[in-house]
């Protein structure tokens, strides 16, 4: 009889202890959720992404900066200028998600690029990337090309060939389209780039006006000829 009572008391104590433990966890969870809610009221937009086995949370905060923290709540990146929007995207095709930051500008397609570093498990800003709007990677290569309007209702335009080297966007080539100039200036100029110097290697005249076939021309030219600019 005494053994039965002792066992019953022991089981009751275990039950009470378990209830207290669950209550403590619940209270802790409620407190943490309240703290997170209090903190998140300043965030306009937050997105989470699991990369290399680690969850990252990127947020636009006003007032404040654009920030990225990991699952240990460690700040791994901070950007003073808040973007209008951002997205996780494997821009360089290495299998890890990067981050593209969008801004309100007069030139469509201007973005900041943050490349994920899988060795450090953090993000690194690519210097000079904003010089290459609407950038597209050439499949199977380390090259990218961009496009931007250069005036006259998009009759004048530029496309630059570039690489990302040591976290810098470096220009190697340029295609300049002019369709709004003096008659003998209208055409397609293809240039090799050496630092800030342009060396014209080809000129093809064309008629004045908007050229809707330029998109296909740009893609095909850079895809076929990018190695000539190294």
């Amino acid at each position: 009889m005494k053994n039965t009572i002792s066992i019953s008391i022991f089981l009751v104590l275990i039950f009470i202890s378990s209830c207290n433990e669950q209550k403590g966890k619940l209270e802790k969870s409620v407190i943490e959720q309240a703290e997170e809610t209090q903190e998140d009221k300043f965030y306009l937009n937050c997105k989470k992404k699991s990369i290399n086995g680690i969850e990252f949370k990127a947020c636009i905060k006003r007032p404040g900066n654009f920030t990225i923290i990991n699952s240990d709540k460690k700040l791994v990146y901070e950007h003073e200028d808040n973007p209008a929007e951002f997205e996780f995207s494997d821009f360089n095709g290495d299998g890890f998600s990067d981050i593209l930051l969008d801004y309100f500008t007069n030139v469509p397609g201007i973005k900041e690029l943050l490349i994920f570093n899988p060795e450090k498990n953090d993000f690194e800003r690519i210097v000079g990337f904003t010089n290459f709007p609407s950038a597209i990677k050439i499949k199977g290569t380390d090259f990218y090309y961009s496009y931007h309007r250069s005036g006259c209702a998009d009759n004048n335009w530029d496309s630059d060939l570039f690489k990302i080297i040591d976290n810098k966007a470096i220009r190697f080539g340029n295609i300049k389209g002019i369709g709004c100039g003096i008659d003998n200036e209208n055409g397609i100029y293809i240039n090799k780039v050496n630092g800030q110097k342009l060396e014209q290697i080809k000129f093809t005249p064309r008629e004045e006006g908007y050229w809707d076939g330029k998109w296909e021309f740009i893609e095909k030219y850079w895809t076929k000829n990018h190695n000539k600019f190294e």
Side-chain angles (χ1 to χ4, degrees):
M1 183 66 177
K2 287 182 180 180
N3 289 338
T4 302
I5 294 173
S6 298
I7 292 172
S8 298
I9 293 172
F10 178 71
L11 292 174
V12 169
L13 291 174
I14 291 176
F15 176 76
I16 293 173
S17 176
S18 177
C19 288
N20 288 336
E21 183 179 351
Q22 292 299 321
K23 181 181 178 182
K25 289 181 179 180
L26 179 61
E27 289 176 347
K28 184 179 180 181
S29 176
V30 170
I31 292 172
E32 288 177 346
Q33 289 177 12
E35 289 176 347
E36 188 171 336
T37 301
Q38 180 71 14
E39 180 183 1
D40 284 352
K41 72 179 183 179
F42 298 105
Y43 292 115
L44 298 183
N45 187 5
C46 288
K47 296 177 183 177
K48 294 180 179 180
K49 186 73 174 180
S50 180
I51 310 171
N52 206 24
I54 300 172
E55 186 176 76
F56 294 91
K57 180 179 179 181
C59 292
I60 297 172
K61 184 179 180 181
R62 291 192 178 93
N65 301 331
F66 176 80
T67 58
I68 306 172
I69 61 174
N70 61 20
S71 48
D72 292 327
K73 295 188 176 182
K74 178 184 176 181
L75 180 69
V76 297
Y77 183 85
E78 186 171 20
H79 199 101
E80 289 185 0
D81 297 322
N82 265 308
E85 183 56 271
F86 69 95
E87 64 173 329
F88 285 96
S89 176
D90 183 8
F91 181 79
N92 61 355
D94 65 352
F96 300 99
S97 291
D98 310 302
I99 297 180
L100 289 163
L101 310 177
D102 290 289
Y103 292 89
F104 292 122
T105 68
N106 294 327
V107 180
I110 287 184
K111 301 174 186 285
E112 288 273 16
L113 173 63
L114 310 179
I115 291 289
F116 181 75
N117 186 327
E119 295 181 0
K120 297 180 180 179
N121 285 319
D122 62 10
F123 293 83
E124 297 172 346
R125 176 176 170 267
I126 302 304
V127 177
F129 186 75
T130 54
N131 295 325
F132 304 99
S134 305
I136 296 174
K137 184 177 176 63
I138 301 176
K139 292 182 179 179
T141 77
D142 294 329
F143 280 102
Y144 305 81
Y145 66 89
S146 66
Y147 177 87
H148 68 83
R149 297 177 296 187
S150 298
C152 199
D154 205 17
N155 287 297
N156 297 341
W157 49 268
D158 282 86
S159 176
D160 290 309
L161 181 73
F162 70 100
K163 276 185 177 183
I164 296 174
I165 302 173
D166 296 330
N167 295 328
K168 295 180 180 179
I170 308 297
R171 187 168 68 149
F172 284 77
N174 166 265
I175 302 175
K176 179 180 291 293
I178 296 181
C180 195
I182 302 172
D183 289 344
N184 61 358
E185 291 183 349
N186 293 319
I188 304 299
Y189 298 77
I190 297 177
N191 306 293
K192 197 166 186 177
V193 178
N194 183 8
Q196 297 299 318
K197 184 180 178 181
L198 297 182
E199 175 191 345
Q200 184 177 314
I201 60 176
K202 187 176 181 180
F203 170 72
T204 304
R206 70 176 181 85
E207 294 182 358
E208 184 175 354
Y210 183 85
W211 183 32
D212 59 2
K214 62 187 172 183
W215 312 107
E216 184 178 2
F217 168 78
I218 291 169
E219 179 185 6
K220 285 186 175 180
Y221 185 85
W222 287 136
T223 300
K224 182 179 179 180
N225 298 287
H226 59 271
N227 285 331
K228 297 178 181 179
F229 293 82
E230 288 191 278

